[in-house]
Amino acid sequence: MLPPDITLPTKACHNCRKRRWKCDRSLPVCHKCMSSGSECLGYGKLFVWNQGVASRGKMMGKTYEEQPRSKKGSTSAKHSITPEDQELLFPIESEELPENNLEVEEVPRQEPKATVRTALVDPLYQDLSPNSRYYLYHYVTQICMDLVIYDGGPGHNPFRDLVPATIAYPTLLHIILAGSAHHVFNISRDPITPSTYQPDKRPCLVQYYQSVSRFGGPMKTSYADALLAKQQALSLMAKSVASLTPANADIILATILMFINYDLIESGRDKWRVHVEGARQIIERLDKPAYLQNPMSKLRLTVLSDFLVFFVIGSTFTFSTARLLIPESIDLGPILQYAETNNYLSMPGPLLRIMVESFKLEDTRERTEDEIAVHVQDQVGVLLKAALDFDPGSWAYSFEPASPFEDLDHRMHIAAAHRAAVCIYLARALPYTNPLIDPDSGFALVSPTGLADEILQHVSFFKPGDTLYKSISWPLFLAGAECEGLTRRKWIMDKLDEFYNLLYWGYVHTAKKTLEVIWSCKDEHGATSGCWITDIQELGYEILIA
């Protein structure tokens, strides 16, 4: 929930009001202005100008149309002022932009030393550097869309609606700028040489160069900017947590979530779990009377569902008994419902609940068959059967989508891919020789390689541009860990490259490198020599594939 002193725009931006356009009231700039090539002048008070008369200096008594000309007949470069510049120099406060070039009361003005061709911006952002303004623009126009399934403009994307809060929460501002700057770095450093599975021109890269040209060209300092902003955010974070109150708890949780998203943009290795554990300490307070919300705000639902998803899928490669992230006194129902509807992984709530239940199991992978307690095997069997009983088709056609344009067939396919991935996760709680997964036992409930093929089949229905395309990464990785054969491996690598070339999140590179390690171990020691999760643990770092 945003603090009471921070509100979204209630009026159209000045450009749209002047041109009588329907404004979408986006932040930090209006999309209508952006698409038309106009500079958005924001929503706050604006400074507008007439053709004033200079009262001092060499220009005293003259309007700017009467400036002295150079010998070649052109306006002096030092004092060259276009009609567009006249609207940007020497302010008078005005709530409304005039429809015509209306005269206003003359006020004394000083002669300018140089013309600065910089559009005025909303007061929220006027103190930011040009690079920072671009990173915020990049966050609003690209990254926010990656963080949800349905991005319907103002009021529909909680991550975009966070932007007004950055003026009061510098930690949030700096980590947003850091993630955006690193994303720009990922895009700008990527070579454009086409390959067999990449188009000759990548729309995302072309869009980046077109949009960034408004700010003077590609951001050559984006990597350094990202590291600096991240360091500033880290230095402010401790102070933010120390000042936790019921009024700012959701904003602080959202800020911590942005640290995880930064780590995913960077590489998805190591640091993300520290942030999850930090968030846990705040989440544990949310069932206290002062912090309790009934019903929960959209922002709280968003951050809790994202934390829950990261916590659950992060356990894929550690599988250790852990405390629940969200206290049992907090109703999981609305959180799971939001997660399946608008979290970008689109994991069905019933499957997420099964994963949460799995945390109560003991880790039995390093034990022999005789050492495994019968009740543990029975518990895994119950969860496996529950996952297999989940019907993706019935689920897809019965839940309430966030958008009226939802492709329910795609929802069914991604739900089926997640079901197979959850079964793989549960199966890997047991040794290879356990009868529940051993194909020679006669009692096997699932075949990991068969589940991998099932995932590949469902993922094949998605192509770049599909709304749910961003949901394929976790099941695709698990399919890669279990699949056999060079053809399947190449298809998975090509799909991951295709995925990266659309989203440019660094964890995709980590996923590819990790799969190469798994495949190398399988080729060297055989597919049944041990669990691939052990191979990942031996790498010495924790990864998050989201």
Side-chain angles (χ1 to χ4, degrees), residues 12-186:
C13 76
H14 294 291
N15 274 354
C16 289
R17 288 157 66 185
K18 179 179 179 181
R19 292 170 172 79
R20 301 184 185 278
W21 290 346
K22 183 177 180 181
C23 181
D24 61 12
R25 293 181 289 179
S26 298
L27 288 170
V29 294
C30 162
H31 290 176
K32 181 77 73 174
C33 295
M34 185 173 62
S35 61
S36 68
S38 303
E39 290 285 353
C40 182
L41 299 182
Y43 306 92
K45 288 186 177 182
L46 185 68
F47 299 114
V48 296
W49 320 105
N50 68 344
Q51 296 174 8
V53 179
S55 61
R56 300 174 60 183
K58 297 178 182 179
M59 296 294 295
M60 184 173 65
K62 297 182 180 181
T63 69
Y64 284 97
E65 286 190 343
E66 300 171 344
Q67 299 177 69
R69 300 282 178 173
S70 67
K71 292 183 179 180
K72 293 184 179 181
S74 61
T75 304
S76 169
K78 183 177 180 181
H79 296 292
S80 175
I81 299 180
T82 67
E84 290 79 13
D85 292 325
Q86 292 172 7
E87 292 186 340
L88 301 176
L89 296 170
F90 311 117
I92 299 175
E93 285 193 349
S94 173
E95 287 288 351
E96 300 286 343
L97 269 172
E99 290 294 325
N100 299 304
N101 186 22
L102 300 178
E103 292 289 328
V104 297
E105 182 180 356
E106 180 182 335
V107 294
R109 304 184 179 99
Q110 294 184 0
E111 179 185 2
K113 294 182 178 180
T115 298
V116 181
R117 300 204 55 174
T118 303
L120 296 176
V121 296
D122 190 285
L124 284 174
Y125 317 110
Q126 62 186 4
D127 293 331
L128 297 180
S129 68
N131 277 21
S132 294
R133 290 181 193 174
Y134 177 71
Y135 297 141
L136 197 59
Y137 160 81
H138 184 78
Y139 168 80
V140 167
T141 57
Q142 293 200 41
I143 294 178
C144 283
M145 293 188 293
D146 295 341
L147 297 178
V148 295
I149 289 295
Y150 175 60
D151 179 36
H156 291 280
N157 189 331
F159 294 104
R160 184 178 289 112
D161 296 341
L162 278 174
V163 172
T166 58
I167 190 65
Y169 295 93
T171 314
L172 176 62
L173 172 63
H174 285 302
I175 194 58
I176 284 178
L177 295 179
S180 183
H182 207 293
H183 193 251
V184 168
F185 170 69
N186 288 350

Side-chain angles (χ1 to χ4, degrees), residues 357-407:
E357 287 295 315
S358 74
F359 297 153
K360 300 175 183 178
L361 299 174
E362 299 176 35
D363 188 353
T364 60
R365 288 166 301 167
E366 299 301 321
R367 303 181 189 178
T368 65
E369 189 64 34
D370 294 336
E371 293 175 327
I372 298 176
V374 174
H375 76 277
V376 173
Q377 178 175 303
D378 290 343
Q379 288 174 332
V380 173
V382 168
L383 293 176
L384 270 174
K385 289 176 182 177
L388 292 171
D389 288 342
F390 171 74
D391 186 342
S394 297
W395 172 83
Y397 287 92
S398 62
F399 92 117
E400 295 184 9
S403 166
F405 308 105
E406 190 80 48
D407 188 326

Side-chain angles (χ1 to χ4, degrees), residues 160-413:
R160 184 178 289 112
D161 296 341
L162 278 174
V163 172
T166 58
I167 190 65
Y169 295 93
T171 314
L172 176 62
L173 172 63
H174 285 302
I175 194 58
I176 284 178
L177 295 179
S180 183
H182 207 293
H183 193 251
V184 168
F185 170 69
N186 288 350
I187 296 172
S188 59
R189 69 172 174 163
D190 192 63
I192 59 175
T193 304
S195 65
T196 56
Y197 49 87
Q198 297 167 334
D200 292 341
K201 291 183 178 180
R202 299 176 193 155
C204 184
L205 196 59
V206 172
Q207 180 185 7
Y208 161 70
Y209 279 107
Q210 287 176 343
S211 62
V212 80
S213 64
R214 304 172 62 240
F215 295 82
M219 303 298 186
K220 297 180 181 179
T221 62
S222 56
Y223 184 67
D225 291 342
L227 296 182
L228 178 60
K230 180 188 176 185
Q231 185 59 41
Q232 290 172 326
L234 286 170
S235 66
L236 292 168
M237 192 65 218
K239 182 179 179 180
S240 297
V241 173
S243 61
L244 180 73
T245 68
N248 65 22
D250 291 348
I251 292 290
I252 293 177
L253 281 172
T255 303
I256 298 174
L257 184 62
M258 287 302 169
F259 274 96
I260 297 178
N261 285 320
Y262 175 90
D263 293 336
L264 286 169
I265 290 172
E266 184 184 57
S267 67
R269 297 189 341 190
D270 294 326
K271 311 174 193 70
W272 64 272
R273 187 170 290 279
V274 174
H275 301 311
V276 170
E277 291 304 316
R280 182 202 298 277
Q281 300 177 31
I282 299 176
I283 293 173
E284 288 176 346
R285 299 189 186 188
L286 299 185
D287 62 345
K288 305 298 187 294
Y291 292 85
L292 193 63
Q293 292 179 356
N294 191 17
M296 282 186 276
S297 68
K298 179 177 285 188
L299 178 58
R300 180 167 293 187
L301 279 175
T302 301
V303 297
L304 289 185
S305 67
D306 280 21
F307 276 122
L308 180 62
V309 170
F310 289 146
F311 179 69
V312 166
I313 64 175
S315 67
T316 305
F317 315 110
T318 55
F319 205 100
S320 58
T321 303
R323 291 181 298 146
L324 296 178
L325 179 70
I326 299 176
E328 293 184 347
S329 54
I330 296 179
D331 184 10
L332 270 185
I335 299 170
L336 295 174
Q337 183 178 7
Y338 186 89
E340 69 180 10
T341 303
N342 217 23
N343 176 275
Y344 66 88
L345 278 179
S346 187
M347 184 181 289
L351 295 178
L352 266 176
R353 194 178 287 275
I354 291 171
M355 293 280 284
V356 171
E357 287 295 315
S358 74
F359 297 153
K360 300 175 183 178
L361 299 174
E362 299 176 35
D363 188 353
T364 60
R365 288 166 301 167
E366 299 301 321
R367 303 181 189 178
T368 65
E369 189 64 34
D370 294 336
E371 293 175 327
I372 298 176
V374 174
H375 76 277
V376 173
Q377 178 175 303
D378 290 343
Q379 288 174 332
V380 173
V382 168
L383 293 176
L384 270 174
K385 289 176 182 177
L388 292 171
D389 288 342
F390 171 74
D391 186 342
S394 297
W395 172 83
Y397 287 92
S398 62
F399 92 117
E400 295 184 9
S403 166
F405 308 105
E406 190 80 48
D407 188 326
L408 296 181
D409 285 340
H410 278 181
R411 279 283 184 178
M412 183 273 293
H413 286 298

